[in-house]
Amino acid sequence: MANSVKTFCRVRSCPNFAEHKGYCETHKGERAFSRKTHPRNKLYNSRAWKDLRLAKLRRNPMCEVCSRAFATQVHHLEPARLRPDLALDMGN
């Protein structure tokens, strides 16, 4: 019998231990998404978002929090998952 370390299922809300590629028996058919391919991140992988992000950083290259360092990220004021209508609005 193999000595293997038990881990929890990759499904966040599942309390079961994983046996099959990181998933329990209940969820072994589930597909793991990487950050890049997860359906929620479709917006952030789109050409429209990448263009808007670059325009925002060019318009205001300084961090809006500290105003001392160059910005490397842009954030929504209203979360895109809650307000998808404002996801590509420069003012948001």
Side-chain angles (χ1 to χ4, degrees):
M1 182 181 241
N3 247 349
S4 64
V5 177
K6 296 264 186 178
T7 59
F8 285 105
C9 181
R10 286 185 179 184
V11 175
R12 286 187 184 184
S13 59
C14 181
N16 299 326
F17 286 107
E19 297 289 334
H20 179 77
K21 295 184 180 181
Y23 294 95
C24 67
E25 284 298 312
T26 305
H27 299 109
K28 68 182 177 183
E30 305 252 343
R31 183 178 138 209
F33 290 103
S34 71
R35 254 181 218 195
K36 281 190 160 191
T37 61
H38 198 285
R40 281 182 294 198
N41 293 331
K42 185 176 181 182
L43 167 69
Y44 299 109
N45 292 323
S46 72
R47 173 55 45 198
W49 169 256
K50 290 176 183 180
D51 290 344
L52 181 68
R53 178 186 178 278
L54 186 60
K56 174 71 173 163
L57 289 173
R58 283 183 177 158
R59 179 185 286 179
N60 185 9
M62 301 307 287
C63 174
E64 293 183 356
V65 175
C66 72
S67 300
R68 291 180 280 169
F70 284 105
T72 58
Q73 299 179 24
V74 295
H75 301 281
H76 288 100
L77 299 175
E78 296 281 333
R81 64 182 161 72
L82 298 177
R83 294 292 308 269
D85 57 316
L86 297 176
L88 296 174
D89 182 351
M90 180 71 85
N92 186 35

